[in-house]
Amino acid sequence: MLEQDRFLHGFALLLCICLGSLLSGIAVSEIPLGSKLSVGESNSWVSSNGDFAIGFYNFPDQPKQFSVGIRFNSKSVPVDKQTVVWVAGGDVTVGNNSYFQLQENGQLVLFDALQGEEVWTSKTSQLSVALAVLRDDGNLVLLNENRDVIWQSFDSPTDTLLPGQRLSTFRTLRAASQNYVSSLYSLYMNVSGQLQLRWESSIIYWSAGRPSHSNLSAVLSSDGSLQLVAPNLERFWSVFGEDHNDTVRFRFLRLDVDGNLRLYSWMEVSQTWRSVWQAVENQCNVFATCDQQGICAFNASGSHVCTCPFHHAVQSNSKCLVSSQHDCKPGSIMVEHANMFLYGIYPVHDFISLTSLDKCKSMCLSDPSCTAVTFTNDGSAKCRMMKTQYVSGYSDPSLSATSFVKRCSDPLAADPIFPLKSPPQAYKEPYNICIPCLVGAASGTIFVFIVIQLGMGFYLYKRKNIYRRLASLAHSRPGSKCLIILSFTEIKELTGNFSDQIGPKMFKGALPDKQPVAVKELEGTIEARKFRAAVSKVGNIYHKGLAKLEGYCCEFDHRYLVYEYAENGSLDKYIENPTLAERLTWRKRMDISLSVGRAIFYLHTECREFLCHGNLKCENVVLDENFEAKVKEFGLGMLYGEASSRRASAQKDVEDFGKMVLTLVSGFKEVKDVLDWAYKEWMEGNPENVVDKRLKNEVDAEELECALRIAFWCLQADERVKPSMGEVVKVLEGTLPADPPPPPFSCLISAREVEDTSESGSEV
C-alpha cells in the first residue's frame, strides 16, 4: 500500500486529457496514409479493442506544451489514471495548432506550429509504408502492402515496457523528464546480457543477469514476470511480481522519475495502479535519490526523506551543499556523522583507498580540495574521498560507515590591545614659542585636512554605495532566478578596472562575497532592447554543463555579460599547449565530449524554447576547478540579429560538435586540414593513427571507434543524414550504436564554395 500511495501522489495529476479526446477517438483497424491528429481537434487513433489510444496530451504545469503519446484508453480505467506508455520523440513537446500525421510518403511526422518545422519523424519515407495500425497490445506499427512490419513503437520505447515488448541489446528506457531537465536515470540492456539501472550512464546501481550471455532481451510477460530471454525464447533470468499468475487485465513496467524500476498492475476493485515489484527495495540505494537536496534517510512511517546535515552550508533552491573550503583562514575541522555513507555526484568519480579511519580523516584534513570522506568499517577499510560540493548519500542506524565533512573552524576572538605606558620623560628646560607662527600653521593644516577629508569622504561614500549595492545583490543572489543588473562603474569595481584579462575581451572579477566571475565585453552598438531580451532568456537557463550567466551591464554604449568563473580556463589552451595537453587524458577528453554534447542537447530540446549555441568551439568550452567542462557564450547569435531556421541552427551546432570531437581525438585545432586524412586512416583500419600523439597508451579502442564514427556523422556534407544532438548523446553514452559513416567530406568544402559563388553571383 505504501508504494501504491506514493505512486498515486506522484501521478494523480499526470495528464490533463480533455474528455473530448475520448469522444473523438474512433476504434479503427487501419490508419490510412494522410491521417492526421491535431492539438486543436483533440482527436485520437484507437486500437480495435479500445484498450489503447494515441493522441496529444499535456501536463498540468505545462498547459501550452503538448506531446504525442500512446496511453491506456479502456473504459474501465478512469481518465486521470490513463497512463502514457510511449511518447513520440521522448521529451519532445510542441505548441498549439501542431499536428501528428502519417504522411502520404509513409512517414510519421510531428510538426510544431510554433517553430514551423518537423521536430520528430519515423524516418520511413523511403520504405514503402502503406498504412499504420495501433494494435491491441499498444504497439503502433507501420506496414507495407504485404503487411510486413516496417517500423514499430515497441522498438523505440521511452520509459515503459508493455507485456510482450522487448528491450533488446543497446536499447534504453529513460525516466521521464522532471522540471524541464532531461532525466539522468536509464535502464540499459548491454551486450553481455545484463540489464542495468544507470545514473548518467557511468554509475550502475542495480543489475540483473550474468555477464556471460550475448544477444539477450528483457521482456515483460503477460503473467507478471520480467525475464531475460534468448532469441530462441530460452529464459536465463526472471523475477516475479506479487500477483504473478493472477488474473490481471493491464500491466506495465516503468522506469520512474525517482530512478527505480517498478512493475505495475491495474486493480479493478480499488481502481488504482499498484506497484507489485520494484528493482531496488531500499530507495536510498538508488544513486542520487536526493540529488542536490542532501542525504537519504527513512522517517518513522518508513518513507524515504531527504535531509541536510550540513547545517553550515548556504542553501538555495533547496540545495544542500557542503562547504567549498576555498577560503578557510581560521583553519578546518572534520565534523563526524555516524552511520552515514556519502558520495560525490558532480563529479561522480571519488578517490578510494584502503586505510584506517584516522588516516582517512587526516588525509581529507590535509588536502585543501577535499570536502568530505566516508570510511566503510565493515571489514573492507575503504576510504572514499570527495572533492566536490555536490555530495549526496544515505543514512541508517544499521549502516557500518562513518563520514566526516570538512568545515571552517570558528574564528578566535582577537587579542585585546592594551595601551603601552609611556617611558618617563627627562626634564627639559622650557623654551619660547612663536604664537603667531603656531596659529598660522595650525589654520593652514586644518584647512588642508578639511579639504582632504571632504574629498575622501565623497570618494568613500560613492564606493561604499557601490559595494553596498553589490553586497546586497550578492546576498540576494542565492535562490534568486533574477540576473544582477550592474552599472558600468560597478563593472569596473568588480574587475579592478579591467586589470586581469583572461581572454579576448574577457576579464576576471570578483563579487563582494569573493565569488570569482568572468566578465565578457560585447559591442556597444547592440540595441539595448534586444540585448536585455536576449540576456533575460539566456539567464533563465541552468544546466551543469553550461556556464551560468550571473548578470549584465547595459548602460549607454556599454554592454557586458557576467558569467560564473571557471578556474582552469578554456579548452583551447589545453589543446595548443604541449605541457597542459598532458592533463587532457583520454578519459577526460571523452568526458568533455559527453558533457558538451549533453549541454547542447539541453539547449536544443529541454529549454522552454529552442536555443542554439551558434559558435561552438574549444574557445567557448571552459573547465572548472574539478576539470568539468562548461559551455559558455551560448545564444549570443540573438544579440547580433542572426536569424535562421531551427533545423539549420541545430545542424550548425551538430557540425561544430563533430569538429570539436575530432579536435579532442586528434589534437589538431584546425580540423578542416585533417578531415580527409582522418577518415582515410579510419577506413583503412588504422584509427589509432588519428589519436593525439601526446596521449600515452591509455586510449580505449571501443571508445575511439565510437568517437570517430559520431564525429564523421556530424560532419556529413548531406544535411539530411546528420544526427540530432539527442542521437549523438546516446551514441556517446553507449546506449545507441553508430553505423559506419559514408565519406563525409568529399563535397563539404566544394558545396559551400558553390553556395558562396552563387550568392555573390546573384548580388552582381
Side-chain angles (χ1 to χ4, degrees), residues 270-334:
S270 60
Q271 291 285 282
T272 58
W273 290 103
R274 177 192 170 203
S275 173
V276 295
W277 173 84
Q278 65 182 38
V280 185
E281 286 300 323
N282 185 342
Q283 182 62 35
C284 288
N285 288 335
V286 173
F287 191 86
T289 285
C290 291
D291 196 29
Q292 300 177 36
Q293 297 176 335
I295 66 165
C296 184
F298 285 90
N299 57 22
S301 63
S303 300
H304 81 277
V305 293
C306 296
T307 62
C308 185
F310 319 128
H311 58 276
H312 59 283
V314 177
Q315 298 183 42
S316 62
N317 288 334
S318 301
K319 290 183 181 179
C320 178
L321 310 181
V322 300
S323 174
S324 63
Q325 299 295 309
H326 288 316
D327 186 14
C328 203
K329 295 179 180 178
S332 300
I333 61 173
M334 303 298 290

Side-chain angles (χ1 to χ4, degrees), residues 233-270:
L233 301 183
E234 180 183 359
R235 186 166 58 188
F236 286 87
W237 174 89
S238 61
V239 68
F240 305 96
E242 296 174 9
D243 59 355
H244 174 60
N245 278 333
D246 289 354
T247 302
V248 176
R249 186 174 179 186
F250 300 120
R251 303 182 193 269
F252 66 86
L253 181 79
R254 181 173 62 201
L255 178 56
D256 286 328
V257 293
D258 61 7
N260 215 333
L261 183 68
R262 295 185 177 92
L263 175 59
Y264 291 98
S265 297
W266 177 250
M267 302 289 104
E268 292 284 357
V269 176
S270 60

Side-chain angles (χ1 to χ4, degrees), residues 453-521:
Q453 289 297 314
L454 287 174
M456 290 184 65
F458 180 72
Y459 171 76
L460 291 175
Y461 174 77
K462 288 188 65 179
R463 190 180 181 89
K464 183 179 181 181
N465 280 346
I466 291 172
Y467 271 94
R468 181 182 297 158
R469 194 179 102 80
L470 290 176
S472 64
L473 288 170
H475 178 73
S476 64
R477 186 165 44 82
S480 173
K481 295 183 179 179
C482 299
L483 291 171
I484 303 175
I485 304 175
L486 302 164
S487 67
F488 179 62
T489 304
E490 291 166 341
I491 289 289
K492 289 197 296 183
E493 291 288 346
L494 290 179
T495 59
N497 201 19
F498 308 104
S499 59
D500 189 358
Q501 186 166 359
I502 56 177
K505 294 187 177 182
M506 183 73 77
F507 305 89
K508 184 179 180 181
L511 296 175
D513 61 359
K514 297 185 180 181
Q515 177 185 339
V517 291
V519 179
K520 173 74 173 180
E521 180 183 5

Side-chain angles (χ1 to χ4, degrees), residues 412-420:
L412 297 175
D415 294 331
I417 301 175
F418 298 98
L420 298 175

Side-chain angles (χ1 to χ4, degrees), residues 685-761:
N686 304 311
E688 66 279 359
N689 292 344
V690 183
V691 177
D692 191 344
K693 298 301 184 289
R694 295 169 295 187
L695 286 172
K696 310 301 180 185
N697 296 326
E698 54 178 327
V699 178
D700 184 287
E702 185 176 343
E703 289 181 332
L704 173 60
E705 179 72 15
C706 173
L708 288 177
R709 285 192 180 193
I710 198 60
F712 295 149
W713 275 116
C714 291
L715 291 166
Q716 289 292 314
D718 188 348
E719 305 272 350
R720 296 170 297 179
V721 300
K722 284 184 180 179
S724 67
M725 283 308 302
E727 293 170 323
V728 168
V729 169
K730 288 183 178 180
V731 170
L732 293 176
E733 289 176 339
T735 60
L736 185 68
D739 295 330
F745 320 119
S746 56
C747 59
L748 183 61
I749 298 176
S750 60
R752 289 183 177 173
E753 289 176 348
V754 170
E755 181 180 352
D756 293 341
T757 304
S758 63
E759 288 180 356
S760 60

